[in-house]
């Protein structure tokens, strides 16, 4: 049971009295004991006040006792030294938390990173959205040929290669979500980059309307672009003038277009020679661009890597090859004859000092019958450039559209000693000579 206030103070007094009798203790030890007892008294007073709840009423007693303590303390204090007051109890200082200054840069970095990721995701979403909706893309119609059994992945890669879409993976996902993976139809389809994915898929999974009338048009070897346009118009495919305009405009993204000369100053029809002779199937009232692309595609497929390699080995450009082939096509009726006619022109081209002119009659006819009548303003410079009796070397462009046999005849570069040939129109025979005298003799003999 805790002692009351008086008992504690009495104990302190007794201790003080005992301290007076203990001479062996030093004055410093006495002071220390006194301070310790004083602290105990103060501590107990506080505890007692909390228990009883009447600290203010009893405050006088400790006050008297304190006076007694002071009086007693005066008795044992040294005469020349004042008693020291008990030091106040030191309060424990609360440790201040150190501010972590490194948190602010970390928060800024995290915030910046979040914004960067959000902006990047927004840009990606916008890009995919624009591609999916065809926003801001070309309006040019392009021909797509879907092979038999092609998968959605293969089709998407074709579309990317042709510049129709930008993300094959996103197209594949869209196709899968629309349950169209098994609906694609093999064959020819026309699409545009500015079409939405939904419209592209709809086009690739549907066949041409049965209401459209299909027609076939055959272009023979050696036909001119102008005559081909008339055939298309007569078959109700498209107008001749529209076809000539769009065919010469080009820019449909086929590989062979990248090999064409950029300079066309003296050329009359820019794409004369690139209408590959064949039988084509069109629909009545087709868009001219669609007609042109079907023909461009055929030419692009016929010009293989092997042919391009031979062309480069012979030092020819694509324009030179097709121009050379067009002359051979116009001069010779059979493959064997084409090889020999090509040999004559090769010999003349390789000996310009002796034979500066090719002297091919069909070139003269083309300038006279095709170019001149269709010139808005007659340009004699162009007319003379096409006429190989007036200008050296090859003309500035093809004079007709050659077939594959004429192209291969030029690429064969058959070696012979012939520099002249004479074609008998009645018999279809062609005679070759090494000298002018021999040539004139054969003309006299077979020309009647």
């Amino acid at each position: 049971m805790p002692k009351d206030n008086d008992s504690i103070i009495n104990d302190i007094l007794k201790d003080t009295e005992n301290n007076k009798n203990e001479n062996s203790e030093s004055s410093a030890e006495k002071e220390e004991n006194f301070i310790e007892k004083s602290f105990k008294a103060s501590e107990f007073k506080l505890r007692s006040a909390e228990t009883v709840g009447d600290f203010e009423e009893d405050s006088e007693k400790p006050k008297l006792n304190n006076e007694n303590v002071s009086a007693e303390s005066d008795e044992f204090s040294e005469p020349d030294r004042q008693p020291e007051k008990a030091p106040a109890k030191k309060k424990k200082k609360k440790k201040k938390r150190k501010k972590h200054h490194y948190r602010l840069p970390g928060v800024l970095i995290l915030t910046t990173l979040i914004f960067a990721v959000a902006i990047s995701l927004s840009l990606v979403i916008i890009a995919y959205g624009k591609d999916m909706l065809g926003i801001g893309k070309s309006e040019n119609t392009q021909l797509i040929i879907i092979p038999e059994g092609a998968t959605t992945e293969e089709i998407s890669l074709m579309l990317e290669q042709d510049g129709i879409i930008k993300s094959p993976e996103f197209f594949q996902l869209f196709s899968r979500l629309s349950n169209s993976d098994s609906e694609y139809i093999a064959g020819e389809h026309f699409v545009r980059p500015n079409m939405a994915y939904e419209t592209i898929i709809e086009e690739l999974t549907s066949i041409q309307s049965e209401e459209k009338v299909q027609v076939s048009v055959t272009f023979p070897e050696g036909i001119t672009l102008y005559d081909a346009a008339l055939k298309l118009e007569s078959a109700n495919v498209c107008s001749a003038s529209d076809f000539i305009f769009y065919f010469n405009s080009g820019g449909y993204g086929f590989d062979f277009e990248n090999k064409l000369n950029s300079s066309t100053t003296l050329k009359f029809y820019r794409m004369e020679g690139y209408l590959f002779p064949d039988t084509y199937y069109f629909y009545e009232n087709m868009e001219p661009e669609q007609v042109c692309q079907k023909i461009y595609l055929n030419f692009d497929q016929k010009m293989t890597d092997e042919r391009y390699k031979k062309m480069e080995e012979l030092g020819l450009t694509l324009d030179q090859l097709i121009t050379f082939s067009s002359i051979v096509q116009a001069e010779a009726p059979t493959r064997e004859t084409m090889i020999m006619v090509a040999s004559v022109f090769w010999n003349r081209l390789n000996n310009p000092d002796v034979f500066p002119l090719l002297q091919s009659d069909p070139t003269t006819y083309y300038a006279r019958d095709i170019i001149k009548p269709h010139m808005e303003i007659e340009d004699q410079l162009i007319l003379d450039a096409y006429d190989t009796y007036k200008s050296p070397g090859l003309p500035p462009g093809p004079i007709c559209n050659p077939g594959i046999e004429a192209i291969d005849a030029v690429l064969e570069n058959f070696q012979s000693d012939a520099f002249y040939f004479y074609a008998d129109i009645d018999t279809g025979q062609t005679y070759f000579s090494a000298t002018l005298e021999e040539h004139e003799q054969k003309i006299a003999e077979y020309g009647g």
Side-chain angles (χ1 to χ4, degrees):
M1 218 177 145
K3 296 179 179 181
D4 56 16
N5 292 345
D6 293 337
S7 299
I8 292 298
I9 294 174
N10 289 331
D11 290 339
I12 293 173
L13 292 175
K14 288 179 181 180
D15 289 339
T16 304
E17 191 69 28
N18 291 332
N19 286 337
K20 288 172 68 176
N21 298 326
E22 293 177 0
N23 297 323
S24 61
E25 288 183 11
S26 65
S27 61
E29 289 176 344
K30 291 178 182 180
E31 290 177 5
E32 184 177 351
N33 289 335
F34 169 75
I35 292 168
E36 182 178 354
K37 295 297 182 177
S38 299
F39 276 131
K40 285 183 180 180
S42 299
E43 183 178 358
F44 183 78
K45 284 194 297 179
L46 293 174
R47 189 186 303 121
S48 194
E50 291 176 2
T51 305
V52 178
D54 195 15
F55 178 77
E56 291 183 354
E57 292 180 1
D58 296 336
S59 61
E60 293 180 356
K61 292 181 180 181
K63 197 171 184 180
L64 293 175
N65 292 335
N66 283 339
E67 291 176 354
N68 294 333
V69 171
S70 298
E72 293 293 333
S73 63
D74 288 340
E75 293 179 5
F76 68 78
S77 296
E78 294 180 3
D80 58 344
R81 184 175 177 181
Q82 296 295 327
E84 295 181 0
K85 293 183 179 180
K89 188 176 182 181
K90 294 183 179 179
K91 294 183 179 178
K92 291 184 179 180
K93 293 183 179 179
K94 293 183 179 180
K95 292 183 179 180
K96 294 183 179 179
R97 292 184 180 180
K98 294 182 179 180
K99 294 183 179 179
H100 300 288
H101 297 288
Y102 62 85
R103 288 185 179 180
L104 183 58
V107 171
L108 290 176
I109 293 172
L110 181 60
T111 303
T112 303
L113 181 61
I114 292 172
F115 272 110
V117 171
I119 292 172
S120 299
L121 287 175
S122 299
L123 293 175
V124 169
I125 292 171
I126 291 172
Y128 279 120
K130 290 177 67 177
D131 190 51
M132 184 182 70
L133 298 174
I135 297 174
K137 298 167 71 176
S138 172
E139 297 180 1
N140 294 332
T141 302
Q142 292 183 237
L143 174 63
I144 299 294
I145 308 294
I146 298 181
E148 286 288 346
T151 64
T152 303
E153 181 180 0
E154 293 170 339
I155 294 171
S156 66
L157 292 174
M158 289 172 55
L159 293 171
E160 180 194 27
Q161 183 177 3
D162 291 337
I164 305 299
I165 63 173
K166 294 181 179 179
S167 174
E169 294 80 8
F170 193 50
F171 182 87
Q172 293 167 29
L173 175 62
F174 192 92
S175 176
R176 190 173 300 112
L177 293 175
S178 60
N179 298 320
S180 302
D181 285 349
S182 61
E183 304 296 324
Y184 294 102
I185 298 174
E188 298 178 350
H189 301 271
F190 289 95
V191 293
R192 299 187 307 277
N194 68 342
M195 283 181 171
Y197 281 8
E198 183 179 2
T199 308
I200 294 173
I201 291 175
E202 183 179 351
E203 172 61 34
L204 300 182
T205 57
S206 62
I207 59 175
Q208 291 288 345
S209 173
E210 295 180 358
E211 297 178 359
K212 294 185 177 181
V213 179
Q214 189 179 58
V215 295
S216 65
V217 179
T218 300
F219 302 121
E221 288 83 355
I223 192 172
T224 65
L225 188 61
Y226 178 75
D227 290 334
L230 294 178
K231 288 179 75 73
L232 289 169
E233 186 172 79
S234 64
N236 295 323
V237 176
C238 63
S239 74
S241 60
D242 285 347
F243 172 75
I244 290 174
F245 174 80
Y246 284 103
F247 196 84
N248 284 313
S249 297
Y252 298 113
F254 292 94
D255 291 339
F256 80 89
E257 294 183 81
N258 298 325
K259 300 180 183 294
L260 298 179
N261 297 343
S262 57
S263 176
T264 58
T265 305
L266 295 175
K267 289 183 75 173
F268 182 64
Y269 284 141
R270 176 176 175 269
M271 297 302 292
E272 181 79 88
Y274 297 94
L275 187 153
F276 192 82
D278 208 340
T279 297
Y280 296 84
Y281 294 93
F282 304 109
Y283 290 95
E284 290 186 352
N285 301 315
M286 281 186 71
E287 294 294 331
E289 302 99 317
Q290 297 179 5
V291 176
C292 295
Q293 288 185 63
K294 290 188 65 137
I295 299 172
Y296 270 51
L297 174 64
N298 197 6
F299 182 92
D300 196 56
Q301 292 175 338
K302 293 297 188 297
M303 287 303 298
T304 61
D305 292 338
E306 183 181 358
R307 290 190 172 97
Y308 282 127
K309 183 179 179 181
K310 288 182 179 179
M311 178 188 81
E312 293 170 358
E313 289 173 352
L314 292 171
L316 296 173
T317 65
L318 181 57
D319 249 345
Q320 290 173 334
L321 172 61
I322 301 304
T323 299
F324 195 160
S325 302
S326 70
I327 297 174
V328 172
Q329 180 72 67
E331 290 278 15
T334 65
R335 181 178 182 278
E336 291 74 16
T337 308
M338 290 177 183
I339 293 173
M340 281 302 299
V341 169
S343 176
V344 170
F345 290 131
W346 267 121
N347 289 337
R348 284 178 172 250
L349 289 170
N350 291 331
N351 294 274
D353 295 337
V354 180
F355 300 95
L357 301 175
L358 296 182
Q359 295 180 325
S360 171
D361 292 341
T363 61
T364 304
Y365 304 151
Y366 185 81
R368 182 192 67 197
D369 301 334
I370 300 297
I371 298 178
K372 188 174 181 178
H374 300 102
M375 276 184 164
E376 294 182 4
I377 300 175
E378 186 173 321
D379 189 336
Q380 193 61 43
L381 186 63
I382 294 177
L383 294 172
D384 291 344
Y386 272 89
D387 190 342
T388 57
Y389 278 93
K390 296 180 179 180
S391 296
L394 293 169
I399 61 171
C400 68
N401 293 277
I404 202 66
E405 288 184 344
I407 294 172
D408 287 340
V410 173
L411 293 175
E412 187 169 335
N413 189 21
F414 181 74
Q415 301 298 309
S416 75
D417 59 358
F419 285 88
Y420 302 89
F421 67 89
Y422 169 71
D424 188 336
I425 298 177
D426 296 330
T427 63
Q429 293 293 319
T430 303
Y431 304 96
F432 299 90
S433 305
T435 65
L436 180 59
E437 292 77 15
E438 183 183 354
H439 175 62
E440 290 176 343
Q441 182 181 350
K442 287 183 178 179
I443 290 175
E445 182 179 354
Y446 301 106

